[in-house]
Amino acid sequence: MAKLGRTEIDLGSLMHRDKAGKNAVTHEAAPRKMVPGHGLEFSNLSYSVMKKTKKDGVWITKEAYLLNDISGQAMRGEIMAIMGPSGAGKSTFLDALAGRIAQGSLEGSVKIEGKQVTTSYMKMVSSYVMQDDQLFPMLTVFETFMFAAEVRLPPSISRSEKQQRVYELLEQLGLQSATHTYIGDEGRRGVSGGERRRVSIGIDIIHKPSLLFLDEPTSGLDSTSAYSVVEKVKEIARNGSIVLMTIHQPSFRIQLLLDKITVLARGRLIYLGSPLALPAHLAEFGRPVPDGENSLEYLLDVIKEYDESTVGLDPLVVYQSDGTKPGQVAMTPVRRTPKASYKRTPVSRHISLRGNSFASGNMTPREDSSQFNDEDDDGDDDNGFDNSRERKTVPQTPMHMRGGAYNARLASHFYKDFSVWLYNEVKGTPRRPPSWTPARTPGRTPGVTSMVAGKGHNWSQHQTPQRQNPPRSKPPVFSPSPDPYYAPSSYREVEPEILDEPKHGSKFANPWIREVAVLSWRTLLNVIRTPELFLSREIVLLVMALILSSLFKDLHELTFKTINRLLNFYIFAVCLVFFSSNDAVPTFIQERYIFIRETSHNSYRASSYVISSLLVYLPFFAVQGFTFAAITKFVLKLRSNLVNFWIILYASLITTNAYVMLVSALVPSYITGYAVVIATTALFFLTCGFFLKPSQIPMWWKWLHYISAIKYPFEALLTNEFQGKRNCYNGSVSDLSPGPLGQVKISNLHIRSAAELGADCKLIGEDVLHTMDISLENIWVDIAILLGWGVLYRLCFYLVLRFYSKNERK
């Protein structure tokens, strides 16, 4: 237990005002140990990615460690803040704990209340607040919370109880004054930045999760707003939740709210404990905090100093791990000499990093320091913390293979660096377990190698043989958990209980039909309050219908000129419908991030989202299609059936909207989305049968004609206009050229009905269809095929949302 005098000194030095506390007798602050079976425990977390780098003109693949053997514990009712320099791995560490790293990529184990958990279970019991506030701008704060309550709380809770929960949450987060205020965005006034951040937190705690993860909740806020946010998060923790958050440069007032801090650098653990114990930790390390300086800021300066030195971060990491103090050389780090790009700077290969007390400890030499890596150093580390996500591993021998293939390293290096490998012992890189928590098949963590036969202890990865740990004068702040590989065989045979999502029953709070209803309600509110989503396309179709009606006059006349004009009108009408749907590209791209945030913790199903968006837009598509069909039908006096004309345009709008949504789900930005939609629509336009008839398309490109979504509505419109023998067209043959018809071919129907039609009937509508190579003269079959493409696009859209749009690291 920390002494009172020690606490007074810490507070006095931080607040720069309690001089009496500074002069008090100092006592060593007792570090906090791990309490097995309580809170959130994480052991030996390591995460690496394969990174390609160019060295001496040759591309080689290196394993870059973003996290390296991190162990610790977060207790219930407390806030743990994850800190460190830029690129230290803070967000990566938070994602690792939250189960947002793909299976097989993360090593180590995570437990809740002493039981190992899977990523699926972690997502069920936790919430993750992203750094960016992804909210619908045209919903009020109350409506946003109410939607979260509807999808996150089970149907057994009545609507009045959900409303009561929303009002309690508004009071808890201090949002009573903004209850009925729109969220707003850059173009619309709404809540303030601090209130917006608290709304983002509120929608993820509406169901009172057991764990809460927050990524930079104070980013972009002023000091007062940032303090207010952290203060509300503190209240959430006091209600029994485990809260972990990343934070960059917290103010002094915010530091006083934190129960525990985790400081990382280059993915390695530098400090884990109470912020009030940090001055004592640094003083015992040999770097006492100067008077009048913030201890956390001073620690970051110390990290930068060691990281840019020949010693590296190893003294800080080892001291945090087992309390081994550095020697005199390591206490005074020497800054590395920058390397010129055209030559290597000679450095000593045998710099002693240890003093008397350090030589007998468990010192871990810096792997990318000049001591061992003169041949393998490519100068990346000279970029400071910009390269902090990469950790170069000790060179491996050719006998160490991964997946049956040798690592990309010359065989001659084995003999050149043999003494280095012998000094560090020959060992391989961590094996990747098949799951997030290697309970059954644990993976080795960096820094731990095989146990020497017949010995009762383990050798560290960077440990000199025959070296013993000295008696420790101070217990560690957090002791790393033992490697599960070295447990007795009888222990390994015991299958530990693993918490996972229920195998029977749904992992979602509500049934599918209720999710569809709630999502439809929210989408309808957004459409009504954002009229440009509907009116923009409605106005385009209305104006273009009037313009076309003024350009194409008297289309009811039965002349050869009218045939060409009708063909031009119908192809333009179909293309207008398809190109007018491009406005859906940015709409979904903006919603995609909200969808990913909401579905990352099983708020609702992807299928519910797909169906609800379709149901809401169906009435609007019907109105838009009827507007265009009615105006052109009566102004141009078309001979086609109005209902069929409207249904064809209606089906076209449904299909093209599904296609645009699919493209929007696949592309990274709306600029790319526009390019893809326009390019593919133009390709559909080219192969639909207007410019090139099916008989004129080369055999190897004919498949494009059948996948063209414009082909089917175009043929249906022509069939609706020209089918049968009811209309006879007369005129000069020269009136048909130039035009899409080309050489006219007389249909069999015309030949059979020649006597009935008479000699004055030169062409009938069936001749036009026969000349355009339209063999299937069934409007409803064309509509069915068109809607079939729409269903296929929606299905692919669902599959992309279900399996591709996931917010997790690979």
Side-chain angles (χ1 to χ4, degrees):
M1 183 65 67
K3 303 293 184 181
L4 180 60
R6 175 74 262 171
T7 304
E8 290 177 353
I9 292 174
D10 294 332
L11 292 174
S13 61
L14 288 172
M15 299 176 67
H16 312 295
R17 66 185 185 183
D18 193 356
K19 296 183 179 179
K22 286 184 179 181
N23 299 326
V25 179
T26 62
H27 300 278
E28 182 177 339
R32 299 179 59 179
K33 298 181 181 180
M34 291 183 65
V35 183
H38 293 80
L40 177 68
E41 303 173 72
F42 44 94
S43 303
N44 310 118
L45 291 184
S46 297
Y47 173 53
S48 63
V49 295
M50 303 310 295
K51 178 181 178 182
K52 286 188 176 181
T53 58
K54 194 171 185 178
K55 181 177 179 181
D56 298 332
V58 179
W59 286 97
I60 61 174
T61 302
K62 302 169 64 176
E63 190 171 23
Y65 275 86
L66 278 63
L67 297 177
N68 185 3
D69 201 20
I70 300 178
S71 300
Q73 185 179 36
M75 299 299 293
R76 193 169 298 280
E78 296 182 348
I79 295 182
M80 173 184 281
I82 304 169
M83 306 180 189
S86 298
K90 302 185 293 294
S91 295
T92 305
F93 179 51
L94 193 71
D95 288 345
L97 295 177
R100 294 161 67 90
I101 293 181
Q103 290 187 354
S105 300
L106 180 67
E107 299 177 6
S109 64
V110 176
K111 298 179 180 179
I112 297 179
E113 307 300 343
K115 298 179 180 179
Q116 294 181 352
V117 298
T118 63
T119 56
S120 300
Y121 181 82
M122 179 63 76
K123 292 178 181 180
M124 287 181 59
V125 300
S126 66
S127 286
Y128 192 105
V129 180
M130 298 181 182
Q131 184 173 348
D132 299 326
D133 300 319
Q134 302 293 341
L135 303 168
F136 284 102
M138 295 311 297
L139 295 182
T140 65
V141 174
F142 176 81
E143 290 168 345
T144 302
F145 282 173
M146 198 64 204
F147 170 79
E150 292 286 358
V151 297
R152 300 301 291 267
L153 299 179
S156 58
I157 300 178
S158 65
R159 183 173 178 81
S160 60
E161 292 175 325
K162 293 177 181 177
Q163 290 179 343
Q164 182 62 30
R165 171 62 182 149
V166 168
Y167 285 120
E168 292 175 357
L169 189 60
L170 289 169
E171 182 179 359
Q172 180 182 1
L173 297 174
L175 294 170
Q176 301 96 318
S177 60
T179 300
H180 299 292
T181 304
Y182 289 120
I183 299 297
D185 56 10
E186 295 81 0
R188 307 175 182 87
R189 291 185 59 85
V191 297
S192 65
E195 291 171 335
R196 187 183 182 93
R197 187 59 49 85
R198 278 178 275 164
V199 172
S200 296
I201 297 173
I203 59 179
D204 282 312
I205 65 172
I206 189 76
H207 60 302
K208 298 180 179 180
S210 177
L211 290 94
L212 179 62
F213 301 96
L214 303 100
D215 188 12
E216 297 280 3
T218 61
S219 177
L221 302 180
D222 59 83
S223 59
T224 301
S225 300
Y227 177 79
S228 176
V229 168
V230 179
E231 188 178 33
K232 301 304 179 184
V233 172
K234 179 74 172 181
E235 294 179 6
I236 296 171
R238 286 173 179 168
N239 290 333
S241 297
I242 302 174
V243 178
L244 298 95
M245 67 178 184
T246 60
I247 191 168
H248 191 66
Q249 291 184 336
S251 64
F252 161 71
R253 293 192 303 166
I254 291 179
Q255 292 181 38
L256 293 181
L257 295 175
L258 305 177
D259 299 293
K260 196 180 298 180
I261 60 174
T262 300
V263 182
L264 304 178
R266 293 189 181 272
R268 308 172 73 183
L269 184 61
I270 303 298
Y271 177 76
L272 201 160
S274 170
L276 299 180
L278 181 57
H281 178 84
L282 289 171
E284 291 156 7
F285 177 74
R287 299 296 296 267
V289 181
D291 291 340
E293 190 161 347
N294 186 285
S295 58
L296 182 57
E297 294 178 358
Y298 180 69
L299 175 59
L300 297 180
D301 292 338
V302 172
I303 292 173
K304 180 177 176 59
E305 179 182 351
Y306 272 87
D307 184 70
E308 296 178 350
S309 69
T310 57
V311 178
L313 298 172
D314 301 308
L316 293 168
V317 174
V318 172
Y319 181 69
Q320 157 63 27
S321 176
D322 59 13
T324 304
K325 296 183 180 180
Q328 186 61 35
V329 175
M331 284 293 299
T332 56
V334 179
R335 186 180 180 87
R336 291 199 306 269
T337 304
K339 300 179 180 63
S341 59
Y342 56 87
K343 66 178 181 178
R344 296 187 181 274
T345 303
V347 291
S348 173
R349 295 175 59 86
H350 299 288
I351 300 176
S352 176
L353 305 181
R354 305 169 177 81
N356 293 334
S357 61
F358 211 98
S360 59
N362 185 17
M363 174 60 183
T364 306
R366 178 174 172 80
E367 297 166 14
D368 54 359
S369 66
S370 58
Q371 184 180 4
F372 298 122
N373 217 11
D374 188 26
E375 196 66 33
D376 198 37
D377 195 350
D378 57 4
D380 289 344
D381 291 338
D382 293 334
N383 296 328
F385 286 112
D386 293 339
N387 192 39
S388 60
R389 294 192 175 192
E390 179 176 348
R391 189 201 75 165
K392 298 173 188 171
T393 56
V394 177
Q396 296 177 336
T397 64
M399 65 188 299
H400 288 85
M401 300 179 292
R402 178 178 292 124
Y406 289 104
N407 288 334
R409 184 167 177 81
L410 297 177
S412 59
H413 291 176
F414 172 78
Y415 303 100
K416 190 168 186 177
D417 296 333
F418 179 77
S419 59
V420 177
W421 290 316
L422 182 63
Y423 180 83
N424 289 285
E425 297 185 89
V426 179
K427 52 207 167 291
T429 55
R431 294 188 296 179
R432 297 189 181 279
S435 63
W436 179 56
T437 54
R440 299 187 175 99
T441 56
R444 294 184 185 275
T445 60
V448 180
T449 60
S450 60
M451 187 165 72
V452 179
K455 302 288 184 180
H457 62 282
N458 302 333
W459 289 103
S460 175
Q461 181 176 357
H462 308 293
Q463 196 175 26
T464 304
Q466 319 236 340
R467 182 167 292 160
Q468 303 293 332
N469 289 335
R472 296 188 20 218
S473 58
K474 163 185 160 327
V477 177
F478 272 90
S479 301
S481 61
D483 191 339
Y485 263 113
Y486 308 127
S489 58
S490 61
Y491 173 79
R492 292 200 305 268
E493 293 174 357
V494 177
E495 287 287 341
E497 181 181 0
I498 300 177
L499 299 179
D500 197 356
E501 63 185 13
K503 295 181 180 179
H504 302 286
S506 176
K507 60 183 178 181
F508 300 96
N510 291 275
W512 182 83
I513 189 65
R514 180 169 180 81
E515 291 177 356
V516 172
V518 174
L519 286 168
S520 299
W521 164 74
R522 184 180 69 174
T523 305
L524 184 61
L525 277 181
N526 279 315
V527 173
I528 293 175
R529 293 176 182 173
T530 314
E532 57 268 24
L533 295 177
F534 165 72
L535 289 180
S536 60
R537 192 182 306 174
E538 177 69 16
I539 292 174
V540 166
L541 293 175
L542 174 64
V543 172
M544 290 306 299
L546 295 175
I547 293 176
L548 289 176
S549 299
S550 64
L551 291 176
F552 296 90
K553 295 180 180 179
D554 300 326
L555 292 183
H556 65 285
E557 296 180 356
L558 300 177
T559 64
F560 284 1
K561 287 185 178 180
T562 303
I563 295 176
N564 272 338
R565 295 170 65 198
L566 281 170
L567 293 175
N568 294 332
F569 167 75
Y570 280 125
I571 189 62
F572 187 86
V574 175
C575 290
L576 175 64
V577 168
F578 271 75
F579 281 107
S580 67
S581 299
N582 291 358
D583 59 355
V585 173
T587 301
F588 173 72
I589 289 179
Q590 293 173 358
E591 291 185 12
R592 179 171 58 187
Y593 300 103
I594 301 178
F595 169 82
I596 292 174
R597 174 181 59 79
E598 292 175 339
T599 56
S600 61
H601 289 274
N602 303 328
S603 294
Y604 50 82
R605 301 165 179 83
S607 59
S608 304
Y609 178 85
V610 173
I611 297 300
S612 64
S613 62
L614 174 62
L615 293 178
V616 170
Y617 280 102
L618 282 179
F620 297 101
F621 294 155
V623 173
Q624 292 163 358
F626 186 79
T627 299
F628 184 87
I631 293 176
T632 54
K633 163 68 177 177
F634 292 107
V635 174
L636 296 177
K637 301 178 181 179
L638 298 174
R639 296 179 181 273
S640 60
N641 183 280
L642 175 61
V643 175
N644 293 346
F645 190 13
W646 166 59
I647 293 177
I648 294 169
L649 296 182
Y650 186 27
S652 300
L653 287 168
I654 294 173
T655 300
T656 185
N657 178 263
Y659 176 71
V660 171
M661 296 286 278
L662 171 61
V663 174
S664 302
L666 291 171
V667 298
S669 64
Y670 71 91
I671 297 177
T672 308
Y674 276 131
V676 173
V677 170
I678 292 174
T680 52
T681 304
L683 189 61
F684 291 163
F685 182 33
L686 178 63
T687 58
C688 70
F690 178 79
F691 295 103
L692 293 173
K693 300 173 186 176
S695 59
Q696 297 173 338
I697 299 176
M699 183 63 65
W700 52 88
W701 287 116
K702 189 160 290 187
W703 58 273
L704 284 174
H705 173 70
Y706 295 101
I707 69 169
S708 172
I710 297 180
K711 158 186 163 61
Y712 301 100
F714 178 59
E715 292 184 355
L717 289 174
L718 294 186
T719 303
N720 189 40
E721 179 72 30
F722 294 108
Q723 189 179 28
K725 57 182 180 179
R726 63 181 183 273
N727 299 321
C728 288
Y729 297 89
N730 297 295
S732 174
V733 177
S734 60
D735 293 338
L736 296 175
S737 59
L741 275 181
Q743 185 175 0
V744 178
K745 295 182 292 185
I746 304 299
S747 65
N748 294 328
L749 179 62
H750 191 172
I751 296 174
R752 292 194 305 266
S753 307
E756 179 185 349
L757 296 173
D760 295 335
C761 185
K762 296 181 179 180
L763 288 178
I764 62 174
E766 195 71 22
D767 298 334
V768 177
L769 298 179
H770 185 60
T771 304
M772 295 298 293
D773 288 348
I774 299 176
S775 58
L776 183 62
E777 301 177 13
N778 192 316
I779 297 175
W780 302 109
V781 172
D782 285 324
I783 293 175
I785 296 176
L786 180 62
L787 291 177
W789 279 110
V791 171
L792 179 62
Y793 294 148
R794 285 280 171 179
L795 178 61
C796 294
F797 177 53
Y798 162 74
L799 294 176
V800 171
L801 294 183
R802 177 67 176 82
F803 300 104
Y804 179 73
S805 297
K806 292 185 177 181
N807 194 357
E808 68 177 12
R809 300 173 186 259
K810 302 300 182 182

